[in-house]
């Protein structure tokens, strides 16, 4: 039991270090962060008319997070496992005396670290609203925290999906697809459609599976245990599936 | 030291390895031979804990790879076929990763990395991206990674493939130096280097052992020497099936 925990931690540390260095050894992390900041900036500024509202509110800024994560996080996670299989290094990885969940978690944490860095670099927006007027900083801090959790959820999808293929492009496309379903499930359009067909409770149930629903609660400054459990549980589920997909390779399926 | 007990593996009903049984003592360097597709790599992957056998087991110093995979893997250094590496890393950072994964402590890590960089003669490229290295250097970086934790059992899948004669000799010398303390399995298609490198030969065909002998005895068994003996042993069944 202790030995297993130790080998999991060893795996997490080794994989985290390795993947983080891979992100920054190539321009990938820099390009990712730069494009993310630019796109988020343009959307918040232009599409949401940030300054026209005149309010010291980051609502228009947070509004776009799920939609951008839906595209950006699968891009960040796509190579985590697909590249291992493509380059044959999975052979090396599977011969190491570490537990598989450790490797899965370590890789996920490396991607999450890059996402967290991108999020930290958006902090000037937070400063700006405080210059515009008195802001609800508690609600903003909470939104940032839940946004970070949500990014982890999207990354966990991308990582799990990338263990199913040796093509990172395919991993990206299918990652976006799954991420889209989990985002759109919170759309009023979708929930009301489900509600009209299957009843209100079904509509609510679908909304509960959406990242957006839980994120919006946080934006109102409400810390919901249900939301935290949702994101953490969702990530745990993805890590379990991811581990399963990788261990499947041990039985000889590619 | 290394015991294979009726290891078997099929892929979609196609038998790759069937009832592979042999054992290896400390000091033995085994030339693991067989034609393309004979099952050499599949056998090594199962021993290395990368591939789960359908049946049978491999034990290293009594530790079963199917029951106690991680403990068994600590006892094994494995160079996969083609020596796959992370191309974005340098030999130095790659070895650091391998050391981390083996849970080496900081002083152990430093010593081990210095040792294998010297042994594999990669000091002059240690901080160069692996993607820019020549094939021979890459193979040696892979070898350095396999011997980093100084395991008692080494599984080297075509370690000299793609090396020039000088580097081949260097790898042979390294193996000879490590041999007394270890059990080493080497697969190769270069028959000439077998007598120079190995003190035992196993020829497999269609996933089964067809010969187990010393290189000298095997070479004497046919007038044409080792190559003729290999041709007969490894090619035999195919002739029958054609
Ligand atoms: N992942 C896999 N899926 C399906 N078949 C496989 C797989 N790996 C190996 N095989 C098959 O198993 C058999 C043995 O392959 P293996 O790679 O072990 O041979 P080998 O002796 O290493 O050959 P080579 O000298 O070409 O490296 C071959 O018929 C091969 O096609
Ligand atoms: Mg092979």
């Amino acid at each position: 039991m202790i030995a297993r925990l130790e080998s999991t931690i060893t795996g997490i540390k080794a994989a985290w270090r390795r993947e983080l260095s891979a992100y920054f050894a190539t321009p990938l992390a820099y390009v990712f962060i730069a494009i993310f900041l630019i796109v988020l900036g343009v959307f918040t500024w232009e599409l949401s008319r940030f300054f026209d509202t005149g309010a010291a509110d980051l609502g228009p800024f947070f509004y776009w997070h799920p939609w951008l994560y839906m595209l950006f996080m699968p891009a960040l996670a796509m190579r985590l496992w697909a590249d291992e299989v493509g380059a044959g290094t999975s052979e090396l990885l599977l011969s190491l005396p570490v537990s598989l969940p450790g490797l899965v978690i370590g890789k996920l944490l490396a991607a999450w670290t890059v996402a967290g860095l991108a999020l930290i670099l958006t902090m000037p927006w937070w400063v700006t609203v405080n210059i515009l007027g008195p802001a609800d900083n508690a609600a903003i801090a909470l939104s940032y925290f839940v946004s970070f959790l949500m990014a982890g959820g999207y990354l966990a999808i991308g990582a799990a999906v990338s263990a199913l293929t040796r093509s990172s492009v395919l991993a990206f496309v299918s990652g976006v697809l799954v991420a889209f379903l989990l985002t759109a499930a919170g759309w009023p359009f979708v929930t009301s459609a489900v509600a009209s067909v299957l009843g209100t409770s079904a509509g609510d149930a679908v909304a509960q599976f959406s990242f957006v629903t839980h994120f919006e609660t946080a934006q109102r400054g409400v810390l919901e245990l249900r939301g935290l459990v949702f994101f953490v549980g969702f990530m745990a589920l993805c890590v379990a599936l991811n581990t399963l997909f990788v261990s499947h390779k041990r039985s000889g399926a590619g | 030291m290394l015991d294979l007990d009726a290891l078997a593996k099929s892929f979609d009903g196609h038998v790759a390895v069937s009832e592979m049984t042999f054992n290896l003592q400390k000091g033995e360097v085994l030339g693991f031979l067989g034609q393309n597709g004979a099952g050499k790599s599949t056998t090594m992957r199962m021993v290395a804990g990368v591939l789960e056998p359908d049946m049978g087991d491999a034990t290293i110093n009594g530790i079963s790879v199917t029951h106690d995979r991680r403990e068994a893997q600590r006892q094994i250094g494995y160079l996969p076929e083609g020596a796959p590496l992370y191309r974005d890393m340098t030999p130095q950072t790659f070895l650091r990763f391998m050391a981390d994964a083996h849970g080496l402590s900081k002083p152990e890590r430093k010593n081990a990395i210095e040792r294998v960089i010297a042994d594999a003669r990669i000091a002059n490229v240690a901080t160069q991206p692996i993607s820019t290295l020549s094939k021979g250097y890459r193979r040696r970086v892979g070898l350095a990674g396999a011997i980093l934790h100084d395991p008692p059992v080494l599984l080297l899948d075509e370690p000299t493939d793609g090396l020039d004669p000088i580097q081949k000799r260097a790898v042979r010398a390294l193996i000879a130096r490590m041999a007394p303390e270890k059990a080493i399995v080497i697969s190769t298609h270069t028959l000439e280097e077998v007598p120079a490198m190995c003190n035992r030969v196993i020829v497999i065909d269609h996933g089964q052992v067809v010969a187990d002998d010393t290189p000298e005895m095997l070479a004497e068994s046919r007038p044409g020497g080792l190559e003729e003996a290999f041709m007969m042993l490894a090619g035999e069944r195919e002739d029958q099936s054609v």
Side-chain angles (χ1 to χ4, degrees), chain A residues 71 148 163 237 251:
Chain A
L71 290 169
F148 180 60
L237 178 72
S251 64

Side-chain angles (χ1 to χ4, degrees), chain A residues 7-9 11-13 15 98-107 243:
Chain A
S7 97
T8 304
I9 292 170
I12 292 175
K13 278 201 281 200
V98 292
S99 82
L100 220 44
L103 294 177
V104 170
I105 295 170
K107 277 171 176 275
T243 306

Side-chain angles (χ1 to χ4, degrees), chain B residues 24-134:
Chain B
L24 219 58
Q25 304 303 320
K26 184 158 127 179
E28 284 193 295
V29 181
L30 174 68
F32 197 42
L33 311 180
Q35 61 174 331
N36 291 133
K40 303 180 294 292
S41 299
T42 305
T43 304
M44 288 195 184
R45 294 176 72 210
M46 288 191 282
V47 177
V50 170
L51 191 67
E52 273 165 9
D54 293 340
M55 266 182 305
D57 200 355
T59 52
I60 298 100
N61 287 328
I63 305 163
S64 151
V65 74
T66 54
H67 290 104
D68 198 356
R69 172 178 65 80
R70 287 189 298 276
E71 206 42 57
Q73 284 177 323
R74 272 183 241 286
Q75 315 284 322
I76 297 176
Y78 172 49
L79 177 71
E81 188 167 20
L85 296 167
Y86 294 106
R87 298 170 60 90
D88 55 85
M89 301 182 108
T90 67
Q92 184 86 44
T93 57
F94 170 70
L95 293 171
R96 163 78 203 256
F97 165 69
M98 294 295 278
D100 285 346
H102 280 284
L104 299 189
S105 68
K106 207 170 164 186
E108 281 173 341
R109 183 174 77 211
K110 194 166 168 289
N111 286 336
I113 292 178
E114 275 171 16
R115 190 191 82 238
V116 298
I117 283 182
D119 278 349
R121 296 169 207 236
I122 49 175
N124 52 332
V125 297
T127 55
Q128 203 177 315
I130 289 172
S131 58
T132 67
L133 298 183
S134 72

Side-chain angles (χ1 to χ4, degrees), chain A residues 34 36 43 60 67 108 124 130 150 153-154 158 170 179 185 192 219 225 235 242 254:
Chain A
F36 177 76
F43 276 32
W67 301 100
L108 179 60
N130 274 286
M150 183 168 63
Y154 281 109
L170 204 62
S192 60
Q219 285 178 61
L225 186 64
M235 269 189 270
N242 197 339

